[in-house]
Amino acid sequence: VEDGKAYVGSSIIELPNANKDTKTASVFVRPHQFEITRTAKNETSLKAKVDYLNPAGSVVKVDLSTSEGSPIQAEITQEEFAKLGLKKNDSVFVSLRQVTYYEFDI
């Protein structure tokens, strides 16, 4: 985190309530907070590959890996899944629906 921005791979994510001090941080995102698209939504979208799909249930679980090799576990609705027509090994873009930043010392 630097100057209120998180640098994740080649993407920069604005953190509205972040301290302006530079520090190393871990980023945790809930699976339903990811948005998967076929084209980049904006400059913060991460390019990813679909590794695994589990369409059972009310949400579809999608395991992805970024171009840097980082794993992402996302959940999308059945409607989004049908619209995207996702298959294993598809190239997609991942962005965050909502960014919430919490700062704490461990």
Side-chain angles (χ1 to χ4, degrees), residues 28-95:
F28 299 97
V29 181
R30 292 183 174 116
H32 65 273
Q33 291 178 311
F34 287 108
E35 181 176 6
I36 300 172
T37 54
R38 290 287 185 175
T39 58
K41 184 175 177 181
N42 54 43
E43 66 277 353
T44 64
S45 297
L46 296 171
K47 186 174 175 107
K49 180 182 75 129
V50 176
D51 295 324
Y52 177 79
L53 294 163
N54 181 354
S58 60
V59 295
V60 177
K61 293 180 173 122
V62 185
D63 289 351
L64 306 130
S65 54
T66 67
S67 53
E68 290 88 13
S70 299
I72 294 175
Q73 293 181 329
E75 291 178 354
I76 58 174
T77 65
Q78 288 287 345
E79 183 179 300
E80 290 171 303
F81 177 63
K83 182 179 174 184
L84 289 167
L86 291 179
K87 294 185 280 314
K88 187 176 178 179
N89 295 319
D90 280 357
S91 291
V92 295
F93 290 88
V94 180
S95 35

